[in-house]
Amino acid sequence: MPKELLPKKYMAYLGLGAEIAASLLVPILIGYYLDEYFGTSPFILMAGVLGAMIGFGFMIVRITKKLDSEDKRE
């Protein structure tokens, strides 16, 4: 592997980690704050957790397809 490609791959994985963290954190936080606002704890929070898990599943499928296509090109 050429040395000039190494930092680019690190940045790609760093961005991937941030994307995963945000996809899990954002729906959960939205659910938490909506529960606080409407006083419906823990129902909207649980919906946020479920939405985060479903979104994470779709993200894993997308990432797997992307990495698979990159491997086939190399």
Side-chain angles (χ1 to χ4, degrees):
M1 173 181 292
K3 288 184 179 181
E4 64 270 6
L5 292 179
L6 205 55
K8 185 178 180 182
K9 284 202 175 242
Y10 286 151
M11 292 302 292
Y13 287 121
L14 183 63
L16 180 62
E19 186 178 350
I20 289 171
S23 74
L24 290 172
L25 190 63
V26 170
I28 293 171
L29 286 177
I30 289 173
Y32 173 77
Y33 287 117
L34 287 175
D35 264 341
E36 292 294 316
Y37 182 76
F38 292 116
T40 58
S41 185
F43 299 110
I44 301 176
L45 174 62
M46 297 313 292
V49 169
L50 182 64
M53 290 182 348
I54 292 170
F56 182 71
F58 283 125
M59 182 181 296
I60 292 297
V61 170
R62 183 181 56 87
I63 290 167
T64 304
K65 286 182 181 180
K66 179 182 174 187
L67 291 176
D68 188 42
S69 70
E70 286 177 2
D71 285 344
K72 287 181 182 179
R73 281 190 282 155
E74 291 178 0

